[in-house]
């Protein structure tokens, strides 16, 4: 199995396309994590709310504990302070919930970007590469089989005429020479068919 063509021009194009595909995949992953980090910036207010709520709840709790030591009215003073501390804990929980939501959105967005864009790149890149690999294996197997040169010559005759224009035309034309079994012409046409696939004799 050959991964790349033997002819320099086609091989260079294949290598270039492969490098571009790999670079695009790497760029996609980087961009997805950049988007994730950008979305996570939205969690900063949640962190501040959580921190402030926890700090306020702790201070109010301490104040309530201190107020409970006041003779006669300690329990009366502690109750509103404890209620305020509980409310502050609720603010802290809301801040933590906001952070969790933002993190989930960031993770989903990054995953979706990676999956969708990488799949798109793979769909555009892999099938043509795999098709060429399969095609080159078939052509090489055909070239090595008995009578394969004749079939490749026929393939060159029925293929793009631009490749034949560059060759010296034998007496009576290429088709007539192929029908007569001219081995020199058949070999030349076979080389043209192989070169069209990116292979050498």
């Amino acid at each position: 199995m050959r991964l790349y063509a033997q002819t320099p021009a086609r091989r260079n194009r294949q290598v270039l396309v492969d490098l571009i595909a790999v670079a695009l995949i790497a760029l996609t992953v980087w961009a997805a994590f950049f988007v994730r980090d950008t979305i996570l910036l939205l969690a900063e207010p949640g962190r501040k709310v959580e921190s402030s709520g926890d700090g306020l709840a702790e201070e109010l709790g301490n104040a309530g504990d201190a107020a409970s030591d006041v003779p006669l009215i300690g329990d009366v003073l502690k109750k509103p302070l404890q209620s305020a501390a509980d409310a502050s804990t609720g603010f802290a929980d809301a801040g933590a919930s906001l952070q969790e939501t933002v993190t989930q959105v960031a993770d989903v967005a990054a995953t979706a970007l990676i999956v969708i864009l990488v799949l798109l790149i793979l769909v555009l890149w892999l099938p043509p590469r795999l098709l060429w690999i399969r095609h080159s294996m078939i052509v090489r197997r055909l070239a090595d089989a008995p009578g394969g040169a004749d079939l490749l010559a026929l393939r060159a005759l029925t293929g793009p005429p631009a490749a034949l224009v560059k060759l010296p035309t034998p007496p009576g034309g290429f088709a007539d020479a192929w029908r007569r079994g001219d081995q020199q012409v058949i070999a030349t046409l076979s080389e043209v068919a192989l070169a069209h696939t990116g292979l050498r004799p």
Side-chain angles (χ1 to χ4, degrees):
M1 184 178 70
R2 180 172 296 280
L3 296 180
Y4 291 98
Q6 293 175 304
T7 54
R10 185 156 196 159
R11 181 175 61 243
N12 291 342
R13 285 197 303 271
Q14 289 173 335
V15 170
L16 179 61
V17 170
D18 288 356
L19 290 175
I20 289 173
V22 171
L24 285 175
I25 290 173
L27 181 63
T28 296
V29 173
W30 176 85
F33 280 104
F34 177 78
V35 168
R36 182 182 183 277
D37 291 341
T38 302
I39 294 174
L40 286 177
L41 294 177
L42 299 175
E44 185 60 29
R47 279 189 285 274
K48 291 180 179 178
V49 168
E50 182 182 15
S51 176
S52 299
D54 285 337
L56 184 58
E58 183 179 355
E59 293 297 327
L60 289 171
N62 292 337
D65 291 339
S68 66
D69 293 336
V70 176
L72 301 176
I73 60 168
D75 290 340
V76 175
L77 292 175
K78 181 180 179 180
K79 189 172 288 186
L81 292 173
Q82 189 59 50
S83 297
D86 293 341
S88 298
T89 302
F91 282 122
D93 292 343
S97 177
L98 175 61
Q99 293 176 72
E100 184 179 347
T101 301
V102 170
T103 301
Q104 289 176 350
V105 170
D107 290 341
V108 169
T111 303
L113 278 174
I114 290 174
V115 169
I116 292 172
L117 294 180
V118 168
L119 277 179
L120 179 62
I121 293 168
L122 291 177
V123 164
L124 294 175
W125 168 49
L126 275 183
R129 290 290 289 121
L130 296 176
L131 187 64
W132 181 87
I133 291 171
R134 180 176 178 274
H135 182 67
S136 68
M137 289 173 61
I138 292 172
V139 170
R140 175 55 68 192
R141 196 177 302 125
L142 183 63
D144 295 340
D150 285 333
L151 294 175
L152 288 177
L154 178 61
R155 184 183 182 91
L157 285 173
T158 57
L164 300 180
V165 172
K166 302 174 184 177
L167 301 175
T169 305
F174 286 106
D176 182 62
W178 175 78
R179 280 192 294 268
R180 285 187 284 106
D182 187 323
Q183 292 304 308
Q184 180 61 40
V185 171
I186 289 174
T188 301
L189 291 175
S190 174
E191 290 177 10
V192 169
L194 287 170
H196 181 69
T197 306
L199 301 176
R200 288 175 178 165

